Amino acid sequence: MSASALALTDFALLDDAECEARLRAAKRALGKRCVILGHHYQRDEVFRHADLTGDSLKLSREAAQSEAEYIVFCGVHFMAEVADILSRPEQIAILPDLAAGCSMADMANLKAVERCWRELAEVIDPDQCVTPVTYINSAADLKAFCGRHNGTVCTSSNARKILEWSFDQRQKVLFFPDQHLGRNTGYRMGIPLDQMVTWDFTQPRGGLTEAQIKNARIILWKGFCSVHQMFRPEQIDRFLERHPDTQVIAHPECAFEVCEKARYIGSTEYILKTIREAEPNTRWLVGTELNMVNRLADEVRPQGKAVHFMSPTVCMCSTMFRTDPQHLLWVLENLAAGNVVNRIKVNEADTHAARLALNRMLQVA
């Protein structure tokens, strides 16, 4: 940040109306030099200012193909890292609030994963028989770890294809940081639950026996999404008692028991597409983040479709929620004044290795 950068404290207490007007003016001033990316889970008052909306990988790829000099990612930290990794050298990735992290991503760090790899080596040769796969919801250095160990990255949309590719390379997969995406995908590929073990990173050797490690086809990291863990199978049961004609759709980050009761399972893009293309006058119970569900409900209501949030408890991504209009305005007005704030820059070595892992994914999926 330059010495002349505008101070964030000057923006924190702006009222919504003034903030909205200044945001529109700052966007006009920057024009095509800046592209604002809005993840599906972002709050409405920020989401409406996005030039591109979608999931994290889609947005990063579209931003890299744009003519924008600045990529402002209204999402969380790992998303801005992916944007930086995939962007052109002259592009700059920015996160409006550096405190916008991801609790799931934080459950796996490089030190713990490297320790896991060493401890697996006490039982098997991981470089010969294990393909490391990290969910895109992870830090850049973990993507780089997979790149260096001939592994790859997956999304919730392509997890099955990635696991199929991984098993073509080696007999086993180490899947992190989300256990539920790995378990739900593996089970629907025909892998028995007893061949998918959970690596507890707080325990020596993951809390597993030698026999469990040798028998496992997928070693699942003990991580989860704090939003999707709120959904429970009994919530589905209670709703179906009142509305038995309801279609249930869930994100694969939900627990296994929830996905077992869902008729449809898929990514945010899949959920949007499925409900948008559904027959009119249908009812849907949705297991994913609240902001997205509410926007979708408003969108399809004129078609007679009723979209309901699965949990009776308000359940939004609290770290995504940190990005507010005031932070976004602070970034944009600084850019308009010639100051870059909150730049996300992955180091060169990790960028190269992470790009290898991401390119393997893109070639497969």
Side-chain angles (χ1 to χ4, degrees):
M1 183 188 300
S2 77
S4 59
L6 306 173
L8 178 58
T9 52
D10 294 335
F11 293 77
L13 299 180
L14 286 177
D15 66 53
D16 292 344
E18 181 181 359
C19 196
E20 178 81 11
R22 286 171 60 175
L23 272 168
R24 295 185 184 282
K27 284 189 66 176
R28 286 195 299 270
L30 288 164
K32 293 184 178 180
R33 295 176 59 212
C34 176
V35 62
I36 301 174
L37 311 182
H39 190 270
H40 286 307
Y41 295 167
Q42 191 55 252
R43 57 163 83 186
D44 287 346
E45 56 268 36
V46 171
F47 190 82
R48 63 170 165 259
H49 293 288
D51 300 303
L52 301 171
T53 61
D55 61 28
S56 58
L57 179 63
K58 171 190 169 184
L59 289 172
S60 294
R61 296 183 73 188
E62 289 181 352
Q65 294 165 5
S66 76
E67 59 186 272
E69 178 183 353
Y70 304 114
I71 300 169
V72 178
F73 210 132
C74 297
V76 295
H77 198 275
F78 78 81
M79 297 177 186
E81 285 186 331
V82 173
D84 180 60
I85 291 166
L86 294 180
S87 65
R88 301 189 306 277
E90 68 272 17
Q91 291 179 304
I92 293 173
I94 295 168
L95 185 66
D97 187 343
L98 293 179
C102 171
S103 59
M104 178 206 294
D106 291 343
M107 291 178 189
N109 58 59
L110 183 60
K111 183 178 179 180
V113 171
E114 287 179 333
R115 185 179 70 245
C116 168
W117 204 252
R118 290 194 303 270
E119 292 179 347
L120 287 174
E122 298 170 4
V123 180
I124 55 178
D125 184 346
D127 282 300
Q128 291 299 314
C129 64
V130 180
T131 303
V133 176
T134 187
Y135 189 21
I136 199 162
N137 299 32
S138 60
D141 56 6
L142 292 188
K143 297 177 178 74
F145 174 91
C146 290
R148 295 184 181 107
H149 289 273
N150 297 310
T152 187
V153 181
C154 79
T155 69
S156 53
S157 299
N158 64 27
R160 179 170 185 140
K161 286 184 179 179
I162 294 302
L163 284 181
E164 289 169 348
W165 175 86
S166 299
F167 287 125
D168 286 341
Q169 313 310 305
R170 302 176 191 86
Q171 307 99 299
K172 301 177 186 291
V173 168
L174 172 62
F175 190 95
F176 51 90
D178 181 36
Q179 61 176 306
H180 300 302
L181 176 61
R183 183 178 296 107
N184 287 321
T185 305
Y187 184 77
R188 281 155 185 80
M189 291 170 61
I191 299 174
L193 291 176
D194 64 1
Q195 291 182 19
M196 294 186 284
V197 297
T198 304
W199 184 276
D200 184 346
F201 51 87
T202 68
Q203 300 296 320
R205 206 160 64 193
L208 301 174
T209 65
E210 288 191 15
Q212 286 176 307
I213 292 171
K214 288 178 178 178
N215 180 62
R217 293 195 65 196
I218 304 180
I219 300 168
L220 302 163
W221 198 262
K222 193 179 180 180
F224 55 85
C225 170
S226 58
V227 171
H228 290 97
Q229 75 162 350
M230 298 291 290
F231 303 118
R232 305 304 308 157
E234 54 268 24
Q235 295 165 356
I236 299 174
D237 293 339
R238 285 195 294 267
F239 196 90
L240 290 177
E241 286 175 4
R242 301 194 306 272
H243 305 285
D245 60 335
T246 301
Q247 304 292 331
V248 181
I249 188 166
H251 194 283
E253 291 176 21
C254 293
F256 177 78
E257 296 79 10
V258 170
C259 288
E260 279 292 274
K261 289 182 175 289
R263 179 172 179 181
Y264 303 92
I265 304 167
S267 66
T268 53
E269 295 284 354
Y270 172 85
I271 291 170
L272 290 168
K273 183 176 187 293
T274 300
I275 296 177
R276 284 168 174 164
E277 295 179 356
E279 291 295 318
N281 304 310
T282 49
R283 187 183 299 276
W284 295 83
L285 185 65
V286 185
T288 197
E289 197 273 342
L290 180 61
N291 282 305
M292 180 182 132
V293 174
N294 285 343
R295 275 195 297 271
L296 181 58
D298 290 341
E299 176 187 334
V300 300
R301 189 174 293 113
Q303 303 163 32
K305 298 174 191 175
V307 174
H308 304 269
F309 186 61
M310 188 178 292
S311 174
T313 305
V314 171
C315 184
M316 62 180 65
C317 181
S318 59
T319 49
M320 187 85 68
F321 196 76
R322 287 180 179 274
T323 299
D324 57 19
Q326 288 75 16
H327 278 84
L328 179 57
L329 177 63
W330 172 64
V331 166
L332 296 187
E333 289 195 351
N334 266 295
L335 290 178
N339 305 309
V340 175
V341 293
N342 283 14
R343 180 177 186 178
I344 300 296
K345 182 63 179 172
V346 179
N347 70 64
E348 188 174 344
D350 280 351
T351 293
H352 176 73
R355 194 173 284 156
L356 282 176
L358 285 162
N359 283 339
R360 289 188 190 114
M361 174 188 70
L362 295 172
Q363 288 166 9
V364 173

